[in-house]
Amino acid sequence: MVVMMPWTLEMLREIDREYFAELIMDLLRNLEFRDSERIKTPAETGADIIALREDPLSGLEKYMFKIKVGGLVSSNEITAFIQTLDRYKSDRGIFITSGDFTKDAKLLAQREHRGRVILWNGKKVVDLLNEYQIEPKKELIEMIESRREAEKKKKEVLNVVRLESPLLFDFNHEKVIESVVSKLSQEYKIKRIFVSPEYLEVFLSPAYIISWSSKVQRENEAGEVETLELRDKAVIFSEEKIITKASEDEKLKLAVSKALLNDSSLIKCTEKTLEVGISPSKATLLAKSKLSKELGVSQSHIEISDKKKVYVPTKAIIKLKIYRNRGEAEVNLETSEIKINIKPLSEEKLIEYLKDECRNSTKEELREYKTKANENRFILRGETDRFEFGAAIDMYTGAILAKDVRMKRDALLNLIKSVYPRGKIINVEEGKREAVADILVEGKIAVLKVNLENGEHSLLRELHSPDEAFKIAKSIIEENFPIKGMEFESFSITEHRIIEILMSGVEGKARVKVDGTNLDVIDYFVEISPKKAEEIISSKYKEWSIKERTEDADSYTFSIESESQSAKVKLSKDGKFLEELDVVLKGDVARQKAIEHLEKMGVEAKIEEAALKENWEIVFIGDERFGKITLDRKDGSLIEEEINYTERALEKLYYEHLKLKYGEENPITERMTHYRDKGYLTIKVSSGNTLYYAKIDVKTGRVIEEDKLIDRGLMARIKKMQLESKYK
């Protein structure tokens, strides 16, 4: 049994953003998130991944994921993520980092957005990767092991060497090695992890610090000659390089002061080489000679009080192991100039390493391949019996830079068939690094995960059989919808967990999603047949007949009629929701209802027009009355009435009024004016030399206002003019 190399924080913090995102996608599949998808524009969107997940209480929830590699996540970044969740209407968000979160970021997420924003730091991610046994890449493991080995060797190749004299300038072996590694990284794109020193030789040149003094005569500003005593330190490096006054060089002054405090020094190296320099006596002669010239005094006037030997690091030779290669660097410690000597590995070696990589990954030999060089990369593409193999190797280190191993489709199918020889492959989903297959075998569904890079496989989960899912789905549908006699038609598997059952019958069809792990019904779609829809309408409207049926994506619409009404009703295609869109009295029934209402009001009239608008509007006319009544479109109840007397009827009513009030037997109408917009009629009637004027309400026949005039004399004529104007 192969034991998986566990993840560590050290490993996680070495990976790049792309690999980190791949790992998170793998985790989401194991955590049963659905429809996980990488966002193509994470910088603009503010998130990297979107997915769905079923919550037992709140149902299907939308999640967004933000990924950050290394460092600390601040509260400002959490706030920006919250704004992203709001903008895209996400239920929850998970912020994932290979590093950690600041205290403020944690407080913000816990106090103000608790439950909506979830934080995963590097430790949480490592725990999840190990829990779900998601293996680190081989290259990553090798990198970490190589680093540890390099650190170990570094300690082994360097020794502490004691020098009998102090150093004038410090020698830091780590900085020297780092400068070489940095140059390799910049110029050859070689990762630091692959570089380790095997040998460090330091070259040291002797120098001397000489303490001197001298008395010299100088003319002051007043023109007087005075004697000055000068003191300083001289540093003799060689015959060509002599610094007589160290105090005038700040860097040298500090170095001299430090060196004078020590009698010896320690350095770390593999080997030291002491260069041949000037002798102590020669140093004295050189110092006094140069000082004599500079000060303008004889050498006898220069007194040497002390002399100390020091060492100056001049050069370092470093032999390097660069993963599968070797190189050498020469560092000028005085100028910091670095010379690198490294040659690319031979093509034969590179091909050999790539073949080994293919063999280790696939356990098979390369059959055919092509190669090409591109800058410091050597690229190979080929295939084995079962795999397509491609890799890029660093020409200077022999390290695998990128690898793409993928099992061929036919080989994948053959592998699945070999694992389940009696099984039927339902679905195979191929990802970048793994494939997941659903196989119907022995009354159940096996979900198999296959590593496409090496063919290793494992059982991810087992699901209930489609028959069991169908029985559950059938009972749920037939118990809750007006549809019976459903029979199994087909099934499919989605998300390697959900069994989607398609069933149908004479009365309709249904598609039901069942959780294959526990047989819970997740979702369903039901559609009754047109015939079943007609049966439901007929049972609800027993004394009605169906005249027409139309349908759209969601419902059936029926036009139906009874003896007195016509109606339009809508039935949802699942048969559960029935809605009356409109119910209307038939035209002849509306006319009959109108006559009955008029008779109750004592109106004899003939129906002139019946129009269906918002309600039934009935126009009628009779000898004495005319007008319009409005009836409810559905049941014919009276909503509004507008009834007027005819002019003839109003004239007759006024004659009766005159007879009763004034005893007039034979009045003659001279003028009638009907003001329909004002709802009254004016009338002028004469009888002999008597004139009668009146204003009559056309709806009630009531006299609203009236005047009587005896048409004799001048005053009568004036009054008549006034009445003519009033009752015009």
Side-chain angles (χ1 to χ4, degrees), residues 443-444 463-473 499 501 514 519:
K444 62 187 176 185
L463 307 179
H464 287 271
S465 70
D467 288 341
E468 291 174 299
F470 168 67
K471 289 176 184 177
I472 294 294
I499 305 174
I501 300 293
V514 180
L519 294 179

Side-chain angles (χ1 to χ4, degrees), residues 485-489 502-506 508-510:
M486 303 295 280
E487 295 182 358
F488 179 85
E489 189 170 304
L502 184 62
M503 49 188 174
S504 62
V506 174
K509 60 184 179 181

Side-chain angles (χ1 to χ4, degrees), residues 458-653:
S458 61
L459 181 65
L460 196 59
R461 66 179 69 91
E462 285 188 347
L463 307 179
H464 287 271
S465 70
D467 288 341
E468 291 174 299
F470 168 67
K471 289 176 184 177
I472 294 294
K474 176 181 170 72
S475 65
I476 289 290
I477 297 304
E478 293 190 351
E479 288 172 11
N480 292 277
F481 294 90
I483 187 169
K484 304 293 183 208
M486 303 295 280
E487 295 182 358
F488 179 85
E489 189 170 304
S490 65
F491 79 96
S492 60
I493 307 295
T494 59
E495 300 173 31
H496 312 292
R497 184 175 65 89
I498 298 169
I499 305 174
E500 192 168 303
I501 300 293
L502 184 62
M503 49 188 174
S504 62
V506 174
E507 297 187 350
K509 60 184 179 181
R511 185 174 66 249
V512 185
K513 292 182 178 180
V514 180
D515 190 322
T517 62
N518 54 25
L519 294 179
D520 284 344
V521 172
I522 296 172
D523 197 7
Y524 49 79
F525 164 82
V526 179
E527 183 177 319
I528 60 173
S529 65
K531 183 179 179 181
K532 183 62 181 179
E534 289 183 4
E535 289 179 11
I536 292 172
I537 295 299
S538 297
S539 67
K540 294 286 185 181
Y541 297 88
K542 294 183 178 178
E543 297 182 0
W544 296 62
S545 60
I546 296 172
K547 296 300 181 182
E548 185 183 23
R549 184 195 77 237
T550 60
E551 66 178 280
D552 56 27
D554 301 314
S555 60
Y556 296 103
T557 301
F558 291 90
S559 296
I560 58 176
E561 284 187 3
S562 67
E563 288 185 1
S564 60
Q565 294 172 307
S566 60
K568 187 168 283 189
V569 294
K570 183 167 75 172
L571 180 65
S572 62
K573 282 199 169 179
D574 62 8
K576 295 281 281 185
F577 180 68
L578 180 63
E579 178 185 9
E580 286 188 353
L581 301 178
D582 195 13
V583 178
V584 183
L585 282 175
K586 290 182 176 179
D588 55 348
V589 177
R591 287 171 176 269
Q592 183 59 40
K593 288 274 186 183
I595 291 171
E596 291 173 3
H597 284 300
L598 291 171
E599 286 177 351
K600 287 180 182 178
M601 292 184 283
V603 177
E604 291 186 12
K606 185 172 78 172
I607 304 301
E608 287 290 310
E609 181 184 354
L612 180 62
K613 297 180 181 178
E614 185 176 348
N615 288 292
W616 279 108
E617 293 183 359
I618 311 294
V619 178
F620 64 90
I621 188 167
D623 291 339
E624 293 188 354
R625 297 191 191 184
F626 72 96
K628 181 177 74 173
I629 60 174
T630 303
L631 306 182
D632 183 271
R633 67 187 289 125
K634 183 176 180 179
D635 58 19
S637 58
L638 183 64
I639 295 174
E640 187 179 7
E641 59 182 62
E642 186 183 326
I643 302 175
N644 298 316
Y645 280 94
T646 63
E647 291 180 3
R648 181 178 175 184
L650 290 171
E651 182 184 42
K652 183 178 177 182
L653 285 172

